[in-house]
Amino acid sequence: MATSRGGAIGPALVLHLAVLAIVVVSEVIGLIRVPIGIGAVILLPILYAFALGIIFNPNVLKATGKVLNHDATKLAGTMITIAIMPFIARFGTTVGPQIEKIIAAGPALILQELGNLGTILIAFPVAVFLLRMGREAIGASYSIDREPNLALIADKYGLNSPEGAGAMGVYATGTLIGTFIFAIMPPLVHGLGIFDVRALAMSCGVGSGSMLAACTGGLAAVVPDQKDLILALAAASNILTYATGLYAGLFLALPLTEWLYRTCAPADRASTMH
């Protein structure tokens, strides 16, 4: 028993030291602004940390496998949910003081969930006609495929199905590059001067903790005087996305994507429908 306990401590200690080193390096680099036309790309420490985490993954850089063994990488996966809890709790504390401004946002905060249908309009044609995907296109394009969306696909089709494969592919892609995209886009879009900062803050709440952090960090960097409002609206939006996103996917997005596939799928892939 003592041996198994000692063996469990080793990977945990190595993992925490590796994470600490990545955090220190990322914070030392700090925030970098890259001017692009009327806007600017904001490079945040979370981006460097994410990039370093990918680079030092033993599956990417074989040399790190001598230190970060299988037990350490397996532990890292289970620690994600625990590690993100204080961050989500911190966001929750920003909602109360800004509750009047959140209420003032009115129906926009609730109806924004319908904006997820835009994922279908943009991604579905690319998946079916450009990438020539089969029923994988349904799981890949009906949402941004975060945890609640994966649960819906798993329950309806199973993750071993073509729909499940499509959903898992988008989930993995979002995990790898979603943080980068969500950190870079808000400052650029804000620089266009088209959208109110409150709308951009709401758009940060897509049901993903890492994307939420990257998005709000980038937006708050260009509008620091609105930081508290940005955090509050983004947190409220994220909570509502979790609350309403599953139902929007179940009753709107998924049936719509199914219908589009039955209607638009080329004949050579019609036989894969069930």
Side-chain angles (χ1 to χ4, degrees):
M1 182 68 69
T3 302
S4 68
R5 288 179 181 175
I9 293 175
L13 179 60
V14 170
L15 178 64
H16 281 77
L17 289 175
V19 170
L20 179 61
I22 289 173
V23 170
V24 170
V25 171
S26 301
E27 288 294 335
V28 169
I29 297 174
L31 186 148
I32 299 177
R33 295 174 182 264
V34 182
I36 298 180
I38 61 174
V41 173
I42 308 296
L43 302 180
L44 302 168
I46 190 174
L47 294 179
Y48 319 139
F50 196 80
L52 289 171
I54 293 175
I55 292 172
F56 290 116
N57 186 317
N59 294 316
V60 177
L61 187 64
K62 298 299 183 182
T64 60
K66 299 177 180 179
V67 179
L68 295 172
N69 56 26
H70 174 72
D71 291 335
T73 54
K74 184 178 180 180
L75 178 62
T78 61
M79 288 291 292
I80 292 176
T81 303
I82 299 174
I84 206 72
M85 285 182 179
F87 162 74
I88 297 298
R90 166 67 180 84
F91 266 81
T93 63
T94 66
V95 175
Q98 301 287 330
I99 191 64
E100 293 183 0
K101 294 181 180 178
I102 292 174
I103 294 175
L109 195 57
I110 298 175
L111 295 177
Q112 65 154 351
E113 189 60 41
L114 296 177
N116 284 343
L117 298 180
T119 303
I120 304 171
L121 298 177
I122 297 172
F124 182 82
V126 173
V128 172
F129 299 112
L130 183 61
L131 302 180
R132 298 185 59 79
M133 294 171 65
R135 288 188 65 86
E136 292 85 354
I138 296 174
S141 62
Y142 96 100
S143 71
I144 65 167
D145 287 315
R146 303 325 295 164
E147 286 80 0
N149 311 113
L150 281 182
L152 176 56
I153 291 293
D155 181 68
K156 187 172 178 63
Y157 305 103
L159 291 181
N160 291 326
S161 65
E163 296 86 352
M168 285 301 298
V170 173
Y171 178 80
T173 302
T175 300
L176 290 173
I177 68 173
T179 304
F180 291 95
I181 299 299
F182 270 68
I184 292 172
M185 287 301 293
L188 291 177
V189 176
H190 179 267
L192 298 175
I194 300 175
F195 298 101
D196 188 288
V197 68
R198 292 172 295 177
L200 295 177
M202 292 179 199
S203 71
C204 291
V206 295
S208 168
S210 59
M211 293 181 186
L212 175 66
C215 185
T216 52
L219 191 57
V222 293
V223 196
D225 58 316
Q226 298 286 334
K227 180 180 179 180
D228 290 341
L229 178 60
I230 291 170
L231 295 179
L233 285 172
S237 171
N238 209 54
I239 293 170
L240 285 173
T241 296
Y242 270 113
T244 64
L246 185 62
Y247 298 102
L250 179 61
F251 296 113
L252 290 176
L254 195 53
L256 175 59
T257 311
E258 279 272 13
W259 177 81
L260 285 172
Y261 187 82
R262 290 195 303 269
T263 304
C264 304
D268 64 338
R269 279 165 277 168
S271 61
T272 63
M273 295 189 293
H274 57 259

